PDB file of all heavy atoms in Angstrom:
ATOM      1  N   ILE A   4       0.853  -1.193   0.000  1.00 92.00           N
ATOM      2  CA  ILE A   4       0.000   0.000   0.000  1.00 92.00           C
ATOM      3  C   ILE A   4       0.887   1.241   0.000  1.00 92.00           C
ATOM      4  O   ILE A   4       1.836   1.325   0.792  1.00 92.00           O
ATOM      5  CB  ILE A   4      -0.942   0.018   1.224  1.00 92.00           C
ATOM      6  CG1 ILE A   4      -1.978  -1.112   1.125  1.00 92.00           C
ATOM      7  CG2 ILE A   4      -1.649   1.369   1.366  1.00 92.00           C
ATOM      8  CD1 ILE A   4      -2.891  -1.228   2.322  1.00 92.00           C
ATOM      9  N   GLY A   5       0.585   2.192  -0.880  1.00 87.00           N
ATOM     10  CA  GLY A   5       1.351   3.427  -0.962  1.00 87.00           C
ATOM     11  C   GLY A   5       0.774   4.534  -0.102  1.00 87.00           C
ATOM     12  O   GLY A   5      -0.245   4.362   0.574  1.00 87.00           O
ATOM     13  N   ALA A   6       1.407   5.713  -0.156  1.00 86.00           N
ATOM     14  CA  ALA A   6       1.030   6.828   0.723  1.00 86.00           C
ATOM     15  C   ALA A   6      -0.391   7.325   0.466  1.00 86.00           C
ATOM     16  O   ALA A   6      -1.152   7.562   1.407  1.00 86.00           O
ATOM     17  CB  ALA A   6       2.032   7.968   0.553  1.00 86.00           C
ATOM     18  N   ARG A   7      -0.778   7.495  -0.802  1.00 86.00           N
ATOM     19  CA  ARG A   7      -2.140   7.986  -1.087  1.00 86.00           C
ATOM     20  C   ARG A   7      -3.189   6.945  -0.724  1.00 86.00           C
ATOM     21  O   ARG A   7      -4.230   7.280  -0.153  1.00 86.00           O
ATOM     22  CB  ARG A   7      -2.264   8.393  -2.557  1.00 86.00           C
ATOM     23  CG  ARG A   7      -1.520   9.665  -2.916  1.00 86.00           C
ATOM     24  CD  ARG A   7      -1.905  10.177  -4.298  1.00 86.00           C
ATOM     25  NE  ARG A   7      -1.689   9.206  -5.349  1.00 86.00           N
ATOM     26  CZ  ARG A   7      -0.523   9.030  -5.996  1.00 86.00           C
ATOM     27  NH1 ARG A   7       0.515   9.768  -5.669  1.00 86.00           N
ATOM     28  NH2 ARG A   7      -0.420   8.137  -6.942  1.00 86.00           N
ATOM     29  N   ASP A   8      -2.917   5.689  -1.036  1.00 90.00           N
ATOM     30  CA  ASP A   8      -3.862   4.636  -0.687  1.00 90.00           C
ATOM     31  C   ASP A   8      -3.956   4.451   0.832  1.00 90.00           C
ATOM     32  O   ASP A   8      -5.007   4.066   1.349  1.00 90.00           O
ATOM     33  CB  ASP A   8      -3.470   3.309  -1.347  1.00 90.00           C
ATOM     34  CG  ASP A   8      -3.824   3.287  -2.827  1.00 90.00           C
ATOM     35  OD1 ASP A   8      -4.539   4.191  -3.280  1.00 90.00           O
ATOM     36  OD2 ASP A   8      -3.382   2.365  -3.529  1.00 90.00           O
ATOM     37  N   PHE A   9      -2.895   4.751   1.540  1.00 93.00           N
ATOM     38  CA  PHE A   9      -2.926   4.699   3.006  1.00 93.00           C
ATOM     39  C   PHE A   9      -4.048   5.589   3.533  1.00 93.00           C
ATOM     40  O   PHE A   9      -4.799   5.205   4.426  1.00 93.00           O
ATOM     41  CB  PHE A   9      -1.572   5.152   3.557  1.00 93.00           C
ATOM     42  CG  PHE A   9      -1.465   5.126   5.059  1.00 93.00           C
ATOM     43  CD1 PHE A   9      -1.541   3.928   5.759  1.00 93.00           C
ATOM     44  CD2 PHE A   9      -1.268   6.303   5.763  1.00 93.00           C
ATOM     45  CE1 PHE A   9      -1.431   3.911   7.147  1.00 93.00           C
ATOM     46  CE2 PHE A   9      -1.154   6.288   7.150  1.00 93.00           C
ATOM     47  CZ  PHE A   9      -1.227   5.090   7.840  1.00 93.00           C
ATOM     48  N   ASP A  10      -4.183   6.768   2.943  1.00 93.00           N
ATOM     49  CA  ASP A  10      -5.232   7.693   3.376  1.00 93.00           C
ATOM     50  C   ASP A  10      -6.624   7.245   2.940  1.00 93.00           C
ATOM     51  O   ASP A  10      -7.624   7.666   3.526  1.00 93.00           O
ATOM     52  CB  ASP A  10      -4.950   9.097   2.837  1.00 93.00           C
ATOM     53  CG  ASP A  10      -3.715   9.714   3.482  1.00 93.00           C
ATOM     54  OD1 ASP A  10      -3.402   9.362   4.630  1.00 93.00           O
ATOM     55  OD2 ASP A  10      -3.059  10.544   2.829  1.00 93.00           O
ATOM     56  N   LEU A  11      -6.708   6.388   1.927  1.00 92.00           N
ATOM     57  CA  LEU A  11      -7.995   5.844   1.513  1.00 92.00           C
ATOM     58  C   LEU A  11      -8.462   4.729   2.436  1.00 92.00           C
ATOM     59  O   LEU A  11      -9.660   4.552   2.656  1.00 92.00           O
ATOM     60  CB  LEU A  11      -7.914   5.304   0.082  1.00 92.00           C
ATOM     61  CG  LEU A  11      -7.812   6.313  -1.061  1.00 92.00           C
ATOM     62  CD1 LEU A  11      -7.644   5.578  -2.380  1.00 92.00           C
ATOM     63  CD2 LEU A  11      -9.040   7.213  -1.097  1.00 92.00           C
ATOM     64  N   TYR A  12      -7.512   3.974   2.962  1.00 95.00           N
ATOM     65  CA  TYR A  12      -7.853   2.790   3.743  1.00 95.00           C
ATOM     66  C   TYR A  12      -7.847   3.009   5.250  1.00 95.00           C
ATOM     67  O   TYR A  12      -8.275   2.135   6.001  1.00 95.00           O
ATOM     68  CB  TYR A  12      -6.911   1.637   3.385  1.00 95.00           C
ATOM     69  CG  TYR A  12      -7.073   1.154   1.977  1.00 95.00           C
ATOM     70  CD1 TYR A  12      -6.007   1.152   1.091  1.00 95.00           C
ATOM     71  CD2 TYR A  12      -8.307   0.703   1.516  1.00 95.00           C
ATOM     72  CE1 TYR A  12      -6.157   0.714  -0.220  1.00 95.00           C
ATOM     73  CE2 TYR A  12      -8.463   0.259   0.212  1.00 95.00           C
ATOM     74  CZ  TYR A  12      -7.379   0.263  -0.650  1.00 95.00           C
ATOM     75  OH  TYR A  12      -7.530  -0.171  -1.937  1.00 95.00           O
ATOM     76  N   CYS A  13      -7.345   4.149   5.704  1.00 96.00           N
ATOM     77  CA  CYS A  13      -7.412   4.463   7.132  1.00 96.00           C
ATOM     78  C   CYS A  13      -7.321   5.969   7.317  1.00 96.00           C
ATOM     79  O   CYS A  13      -6.944   6.701   6.399  1.00 96.00           O
ATOM     80  CB  CYS A  13      -6.316   3.741   7.919  1.00 96.00           C
ATOM     81  SG  CYS A  13      -4.674   4.463   7.764  1.00 96.00           S
ATOM     82  N   ASN A  14      -7.685   6.427   8.494  1.00 96.00           N
ATOM     83  CA  ASN A  14      -7.679   7.872   8.778  1.00 96.00           C
ATOM     84  C   ASN A  14      -6.600   8.237   9.793  1.00 96.00           C
ATOM     85  O   ASN A  14      -6.770   9.140  10.607  1.00 96.00           O
ATOM     86  CB  ASN A  14      -9.055   8.324   9.272  1.00 96.00           C
ATOM     87  CG  ASN A  14      -9.466   7.645  10.579  1.00 96.00           C
ATOM     88  OD1 ASN A  14      -8.869   6.642  10.982  1.00 96.00           O
ATOM     89  ND2 ASN A  14     -10.478   8.188  11.227  1.00 96.00           N
ATOM     90  N   PHE A  15      -5.486   7.536   9.740  1.00 95.00           N
ATOM     91  CA  PHE A  15      -4.416   7.740  10.720  1.00 95.00           C
ATOM     92  C   PHE A  15      -3.904   9.182  10.734  1.00 95.00           C
ATOM     93  O   PHE A  15      -3.659   9.750  11.789  1.00 95.00           O
ATOM     94  CB  PHE A  15      -3.259   6.779  10.441  1.00 95.00           C
ATOM     95  CG  PHE A  15      -2.118   6.921  11.405  1.00 95.00           C
ATOM     96  CD1 PHE A  15      -2.163   6.304  12.652  1.00 95.00           C
ATOM     97  CD2 PHE A  15      -0.997   7.677  11.089  1.00 95.00           C
ATOM     98  CE1 PHE A  15      -1.116   6.443  13.555  1.00 95.00           C
ATOM     99  CE2 PHE A  15       0.046   7.817  11.988  1.00 95.00           C
ATOM    100  CZ  PHE A  15      -0.014   7.196  13.221  1.00 95.00           C
ATOM    101  N   ARG A  16      -3.743   9.776   9.561  1.00 93.00           N
ATOM    102  CA  ARG A  16      -3.157  11.127   9.511  1.00 93.00           C
ATOM    103  C   ARG A  16      -4.055  12.171  10.170  1.00 93.00           C
ATOM    104  O   ARG A  16      -3.567  13.197  10.636  1.00 93.00           O
ATOM    105  CB  ARG A  16      -2.875  11.528   8.069  1.00 93.00           C
ATOM    106  CG  ARG A  16      -1.772  10.712   7.406  1.00 93.00           C
ATOM    107  CD  ARG A  16      -1.453  11.317   6.043  1.00 93.00           C
ATOM    108  NE  ARG A  16      -1.025  10.353   5.083  1.00 93.00           N
ATOM    109  CZ  ARG A  16       0.240   9.973   4.900  1.00 93.00           C
ATOM    110  NH1 ARG A  16       1.183  10.460   5.667  1.00 93.00           N
ATOM    111  NH2 ARG A  16       0.543   9.092   3.973  1.00 93.00           N
ATOM    112  N   THR A  17      -5.348  11.929  10.206  1.00 95.00           N
ATOM    113  CA  THR A  17      -6.256  12.893  10.832  1.00 95.00           C
ATOM    114  C   THR A  17      -6.668  12.482  12.244  1.00 95.00           C
ATOM    115  O   THR A  17      -6.874  13.331  13.105  1.00 95.00           O
ATOM    116  CB  THR A  17      -7.527  13.086   9.974  1.00 95.00           C
ATOM    117  OG1 THR A  17      -8.157  11.817   9.769  1.00 95.00           O
ATOM    118  CG2 THR A  17      -7.174  13.706   8.627  1.00 95.00           C
ATOM    119  N   ALA A  18      -6.771  11.185  12.492  1.00 95.00           N
ATOM    120  CA  ALA A  18      -7.250  10.712  13.790  1.00 95.00           C
ATOM    121  C   ALA A  18      -6.128  10.306  14.740  1.00 95.00           C
ATOM    122  O   ALA A  18      -6.368  10.099  15.926  1.00 95.00           O
ATOM    123  CB  ALA A  18      -8.208   9.535  13.597  1.00 95.00           C
ATOM    124  N   GLY A  19      -4.906  10.163  14.226  1.00 93.00           N
ATOM    125  CA  GLY A  19      -3.806   9.743  15.083  1.00 93.00           C
ATOM    126  C   GLY A  19      -3.993   8.325  15.576  1.00 93.00           C
ATOM    127  O   GLY A  19      -4.512   7.467  14.872  1.00 93.00           O
ATOM    128  N   ILE A  20      -3.634   8.086  16.841  1.00 93.00           N
ATOM    129  CA  ILE A  20      -3.640   6.719  17.362  1.00 93.00           C
ATOM    130  C   ILE A  20      -5.048   6.153  17.530  1.00 93.00           C
ATOM    131  O   ILE A  20      -5.215   4.951  17.739  1.00 93.00           O
ATOM    132  CB  ILE A  20      -2.873   6.621  18.697  1.00 93.00           C
ATOM    133  CG1 ILE A  20      -3.523   7.505  19.767  1.00 93.00           C
ATOM    134  CG2 ILE A  20      -1.414   6.978  18.497  1.00 93.00           C
ATOM    135  CD1 ILE A  20      -2.912   7.322  21.143  1.00 93.00           C
ATOM    136  N   ALA A  21      -6.059   7.006  17.409  1.00 94.00           N
ATOM    137  CA  ALA A  21      -7.449   6.524  17.478  1.00 94.00           C
ATOM    138  C   ALA A  21      -7.981   6.178  16.086  1.00 94.00           C
ATOM    139  O   ALA A  21      -9.189   6.100  15.887  1.00 94.00           O
ATOM    140  CB  ALA A  21      -8.331   7.588  18.124  1.00 94.00           C
ATOM    141  N   PHE A  22      -7.093   5.930  15.140  1.00 96.00           N
ATOM    142  CA  PHE A  22      -7.490   5.732  13.743  1.00 96.00           C
ATOM    143  C   PHE A  22      -8.323   4.472  13.537  1.00 96.00           C
ATOM    144  O   PHE A  22      -8.266   3.522  14.313  1.00 96.00           O
ATOM    145  CB  PHE A  22      -6.251   5.705  12.839  1.00 96.00           C
ATOM    146  CG  PHE A  22      -5.421   4.448  12.913  1.00 96.00           C
ATOM    147  CD1 PHE A  22      -5.469   3.517  11.880  1.00 96.00           C
ATOM    148  CD2 PHE A  22      -4.560   4.205  13.981  1.00 96.00           C
ATOM    149  CE1 PHE A  22      -4.689   2.370  11.922  1.00 96.00           C
ATOM    150  CE2 PHE A  22      -3.779   3.061  14.035  1.00 96.00           C
ATOM    151  CZ  PHE A  22      -3.838   2.140  13.001  1.00 96.00           C
ATOM    152  N   GLY A  23      -9.108   4.501  12.474  1.00 96.00           N
ATOM    153  CA  GLY A  23      -9.883   3.349  12.054  1.00 96.00           C
ATOM    154  C   GLY A  23      -9.466   2.920  10.652  1.00 96.00           C
ATOM    155  O   GLY A  23      -8.756   3.640   9.957  1.00 96.00           O
ATOM    156  N   VAL A  24      -9.929   1.744  10.242  1.00 97.00           N
ATOM    157  CA  VAL A  24      -9.565   1.161   8.946  1.00 97.00           C
ATOM    158  C   VAL A  24     -10.819   0.959   8.109  1.00 97.00           C
ATOM    159  O   VAL A  24     -11.900   0.687   8.651  1.00 97.00           O
ATOM    160  CB  VAL A  24      -8.824  -0.186   9.151  1.00 97.00           C
ATOM    161  CG1 VAL A  24      -8.588  -0.909   7.828  1.00 97.00           C
ATOM    162  CG2 VAL A  24      -7.500   0.039   9.872  1.00 97.00           C
ATOM    163  N   ASP A  25     -10.687   1.118   6.799  1.00 96.00           N
ATOM    164  CA  ASP A  25     -11.781   0.840   5.866  1.00 96.00           C
ATOM    165  C   ASP A  25     -12.427  -0.499   6.231  1.00 96.00           C
ATOM    166  O   ASP A  25     -11.725  -1.509   6.385  1.00 96.00           O
ATOM    167  CB  ASP A  25     -11.210   0.785   4.439  1.00 96.00           C
ATOM    168  CG  ASP A  25     -12.229   0.318   3.425  1.00 96.00           C
ATOM    169  OD1 ASP A  25     -13.015   1.149   2.971  1.00 96.00           O
ATOM    170  OD2 ASP A  25     -12.223  -0.887   3.105  1.00 96.00           O
ATOM    171  N   PRO A  26     -13.748  -0.542   6.412  1.00 96.00           N
ATOM    172  CA  PRO A  26     -14.396  -1.772   6.899  1.00 96.00           C
ATOM    173  C   PRO A  26     -14.201  -2.988   5.997  1.00 96.00           C
ATOM    174  O   PRO A  26     -14.062  -4.112   6.487  1.00 96.00           O
ATOM    175  CB  PRO A  26     -15.870  -1.383   7.014  1.00 96.00           C
ATOM    176  CG  PRO A  26     -16.030  -0.118   6.244  1.00 96.00           C
ATOM    177  CD  PRO A  26     -14.705   0.572   6.265  1.00 96.00           C
ATOM    178  N   GLY A  27     -14.191  -2.775   4.682  1.00 96.00           N
ATOM    179  CA  GLY A  27     -13.972  -3.906   3.786  1.00 96.00           C
ATOM    180  C   GLY A  27     -12.565  -4.469   3.910  1.00 96.00           C
ATOM    181  O   GLY A  27     -12.361  -5.692   3.917  1.00 96.00           O
ATOM    182  N   MET A  28     -11.579  -3.580   4.001  1.00 96.00           N
ATOM    183  CA  MET A  28     -10.195  -4.007   4.178  1.00 96.00           C
ATOM    184  C   MET A  28     -10.042  -4.744   5.511  1.00 96.00           C
ATOM    185  O   MET A  28      -9.428  -5.814   5.584  1.00 96.00           O
ATOM    186  CB  MET A  28      -9.267  -2.794   4.140  1.00 96.00           C
ATOM    187  CG  MET A  28      -7.806  -3.103   4.426  1.00 96.00           C
ATOM    188  SD  MET A  28      -6.999  -4.050   3.125  1.00 96.00           S
ATOM    189  CE  MET A  28      -6.552  -2.706   2.011  1.00 96.00           C
ATOM    190  N   ARG A  29     -10.625  -4.168   6.543  1.00 97.00           N
ATOM    191  CA  ARG A  29     -10.535  -4.775   7.881  1.00 97.00           C
ATOM    192  C   ARG A  29     -11.125  -6.179   7.881  1.00 97.00           C
ATOM    193  O   ARG A  29     -10.508  -7.116   8.407  1.00 97.00           O
ATOM    194  CB  ARG A  29     -11.256  -3.890   8.895  1.00 97.00           C
ATOM    195  CG  ARG A  29     -11.235  -4.396  10.325  1.00 97.00           C
ATOM    196  CD  ARG A  29     -11.922  -3.400  11.254  1.00 97.00           C
ATOM    197  NE  ARG A  29     -11.896  -3.842  12.629  1.00 97.00           N
ATOM    198  CZ  ARG A  29     -12.802  -4.635  13.190  1.00 97.00           C
ATOM    199  NH1 ARG A  29     -13.839  -5.064  12.462  1.00 97.00           N
ATOM    200  NH2 ARG A  29     -12.710  -4.989  14.456  1.00 97.00           N
ATOM    201  N   GLU A  30     -12.284  -6.349   7.291  1.00 97.00           N
ATOM    202  CA  GLU A  30     -12.942  -7.651   7.286  1.00 97.00           C
ATOM    203  C   GLU A  30     -12.148  -8.676   6.492  1.00 97.00           C
ATOM    204  O   GLU A  30     -12.005  -9.837   6.907  1.00 97.00           O
ATOM    205  CB  GLU A  30     -14.355  -7.534   6.728  1.00 97.00           C
ATOM    206  CG  GLU A  30     -15.114  -8.857   6.627  1.00 97.00           C
ATOM    207  CD  GLU A  30     -15.184  -9.625   7.940  1.00 97.00           C
ATOM    208  OE1 GLU A  30     -15.188  -8.990   9.011  1.00 97.00           O
ATOM    209  OE2 GLU A  30     -15.211 -10.874   7.886  1.00 97.00           O
ATOM    210  N   PHE A  31     -11.602  -8.261   5.342  1.00 97.00           N
ATOM    211  CA  PHE A  31     -10.827  -9.191   4.531  1.00 97.00           C
ATOM    212  C   PHE A  31      -9.577  -9.655   5.292  1.00 97.00           C
ATOM    213  O   PHE A  31      -9.250 -10.850   5.310  1.00 97.00           O
ATOM    214  CB  PHE A  31     -10.426  -8.531   3.206  1.00 97.00           C
ATOM    215  CG  PHE A  31      -9.668  -9.444   2.294  1.00 97.00           C
ATOM    216  CD1 PHE A  31     -10.316 -10.468   1.619  1.00 97.00           C
ATOM    217  CD2 PHE A  31      -8.302  -9.289   2.103  1.00 97.00           C
ATOM    218  CE1 PHE A  31      -9.624 -11.335   0.776  1.00 97.00           C
ATOM    219  CE2 PHE A  31      -7.598 -10.138   1.264  1.00 97.00           C
ATOM    220  CZ  PHE A  31      -8.260 -11.163   0.594  1.00 97.00           C
ATOM    221  N   LEU A  32      -8.881  -8.722   5.937  1.00 97.00           N
ATOM    222  CA  LEU A  32      -7.662  -9.082   6.666  1.00 97.00           C
ATOM    223  C   LEU A  32      -7.983  -9.946   7.882  1.00 97.00           C
ATOM    224  O   LEU A  32      -7.228 -10.865   8.212  1.00 97.00           O
ATOM    225  CB  LEU A  32      -6.904  -7.823   7.085  1.00 97.00           C
ATOM    226  CG  LEU A  32      -6.336  -6.994   5.927  1.00 97.00           C
ATOM    227  CD1 LEU A  32      -5.627  -5.759   6.449  1.00 97.00           C
ATOM    228  CD2 LEU A  32      -5.406  -7.829   5.060  1.00 97.00           C
ATOM    229  N   ARG A  33      -9.091  -9.677   8.530  1.00 97.00           N
ATOM    230  CA  ARG A  33      -9.483 -10.508   9.668  1.00 97.00           C
ATOM    231  C   ARG A  33      -9.821 -11.933   9.216  1.00 97.00           C
ATOM    232  O   ARG A  33      -9.486 -12.907   9.895  1.00 97.00           O
ATOM    233  CB  ARG A  33     -10.663  -9.876  10.413  1.00 97.00           C
ATOM    234  CG  ARG A  33     -10.265  -8.632  11.195  1.00 97.00           C
ATOM    235  CD  ARG A  33     -11.463  -7.919  11.803  1.00 97.00           C
ATOM    236  NE  ARG A  33     -11.971  -8.576  12.998  1.00 97.00           N
ATOM    237  CZ  ARG A  33     -11.492  -8.400  14.223  1.00 97.00           C
ATOM    238  NH1 ARG A  33     -10.448  -7.612  14.414  1.00 97.00           N
ATOM    239  NH2 ARG A  33     -12.039  -9.009  15.251  1.00 97.00           N
ATOM    240  N   ARG A  34     -10.469 -12.062   8.064  1.00 96.00           N
ATOM    241  CA  ARG A  34     -10.771 -13.403   7.532  1.00 96.00           C
ATOM    242  C   ARG A  34      -9.483 -14.162   7.232  1.00 96.00           C
ATOM    243  O   ARG A  34      -9.357 -15.353   7.553  1.00 96.00           O
ATOM    244  CB  ARG A  34     -11.630 -13.298   6.271  1.00 96.00           C
ATOM    245  CG  ARG A  34     -13.095 -13.020   6.536  1.00 96.00           C
ATOM    246  CD  ARG A  34     -13.942 -13.282   5.310  1.00 96.00           C
ATOM    247  NE  ARG A  34     -13.804 -12.262   4.296  1.00 96.00           N
ATOM    248  CZ  ARG A  34     -13.432 -12.474   3.039  1.00 96.00           C
ATOM    249  NH1 ARG A  34     -13.162 -13.697   2.621  1.00 96.00           N
ATOM    250  NH2 ARG A  34     -13.353 -11.481   2.170  1.00 96.00           N
ATOM    251  N   ALA A  35      -8.535 -13.466   6.601  1.00 97.00           N
ATOM    252  CA  ALA A  35      -7.260 -14.102   6.264  1.00 97.00           C
ATOM    253  C   ALA A  35      -6.507 -14.511   7.523  1.00 97.00           C
ATOM    254  O   ALA A  35      -5.933 -15.613   7.596  1.00 97.00           O
ATOM    255  CB  ALA A  35      -6.421 -13.140   5.422  1.00 97.00           C
ATOM    256  N   PHE A  36      -6.528 -13.642   8.527  1.00 97.00           N
ATOM    257  CA  PHE A  36      -5.811 -13.941   9.766  1.00 97.00           C
ATOM    258  C   PHE A  36      -6.453 -15.123  10.491  1.00 97.00           C
ATOM    259  O   PHE A  36      -5.755 -16.006  10.996  1.00 97.00           O
ATOM    260  CB  PHE A  36      -5.795 -12.705  10.675  1.00 97.00           C
ATOM    261  CG  PHE A  36      -5.017 -12.910  11.939  1.00 97.00           C
ATOM    262  CD1 PHE A  36      -3.638 -12.797  11.947  1.00 97.00           C
ATOM    263  CD2 PHE A  36      -5.668 -13.250  13.125  1.00 97.00           C
ATOM    264  CE1 PHE A  36      -2.915 -13.010  13.121  1.00 97.00           C
ATOM    265  CE2 PHE A  36      -4.958 -13.460  14.296  1.00 97.00           C
ATOM    266  CZ  PHE A  36      -3.572 -13.333  14.291  1.00 97.00           C
ATOM    267  N   ARG A  37      -7.776 -15.137  10.553  1.00 96.00           N
ATOM    268  CA  ARG A  37      -8.469 -16.238  11.244  1.00 96.00           C
ATOM    269  C   ARG A  37      -8.179 -17.587  10.603  1.00 96.00           C
ATOM    270  O   ARG A  37      -8.185 -18.617  11.282  1.00 96.00           O
ATOM    271  CB  ARG A  37      -9.980 -15.991  11.239  1.00 96.00           C
ATOM    272  CG  ARG A  37     -10.456 -14.933  12.233  1.00 96.00           C
ATOM    273  CD  ARG A  37     -11.968 -14.977  12.362  1.00 96.00           C
ATOM    274  NE  ARG A  37     -12.492 -13.913  13.189  1.00 96.00           N
ATOM    275  CZ  ARG A  37     -13.094 -12.821  12.723  1.00 96.00           C
ATOM    276  NH1 ARG A  37     -13.239 -12.639  11.410  1.00 96.00           N
ATOM    277  NH2 ARG A  37     -13.549 -11.898  13.546  1.00 96.00           N
ATOM    278  N   ARG A  38      -7.938 -17.596   9.296  1.00 96.00           N
ATOM    279  CA  ARG A  38      -7.628 -18.850   8.604  1.00 96.00           C
ATOM    280  C   ARG A  38      -6.188 -19.284   8.839  1.00 96.00           C
ATOM    281  O   ARG A  38      -5.787 -20.362   8.403  1.00 96.00           O
ATOM    282  CB  ARG A  38      -7.880 -18.716   7.099  1.00 96.00           C
ATOM    283  CG  ARG A  38      -9.350 -18.663   6.725  1.00 96.00           C
ATOM    284  CD  ARG A  38      -9.553 -19.063   5.278  1.00 96.00           C
ATOM    285  NE  ARG A  38      -9.168 -20.454   5.040  1.00 96.00           N
ATOM    286  CZ  ARG A  38      -9.936 -21.507   5.243  1.00 96.00           C
ATOM    287  NH1 ARG A  38     -11.156 -21.350   5.729  1.00 96.00           N
ATOM    288  NH2 ARG A  38      -9.499 -22.718   5.000  1.00 96.00           N
TER     289      ARG A  38
END
């Protein structure tokens, strides 16, 4: 993931340590991790 896409998939630059992640990305990564 590059710098511009980073801002598409999470709000870290604006929210800081309270950042959240794009729900679709989060769900896909959680599925992969659980497997």
Side-chain angles (χ1 to χ4, degrees):
I4 293 176
R7 288 192 303 274
D8 284 349
F9 181 64
D10 292 332
L11 288 176
Y12 294 122
C13 77
N14 62 345
F15 180 82
R16 293 187 211 271
T17 56
I20 61 173
F22 74 105
V24 173
D25 172 83
M28 175 69 84
R29 180 177 181 273
E30 178 55 30
F31 182 74
L32 294 179
R33 288 174 77 84
R34 282 195 286 123
F36 183 81
R37 284 192 186 103
R38 288 202 64 84

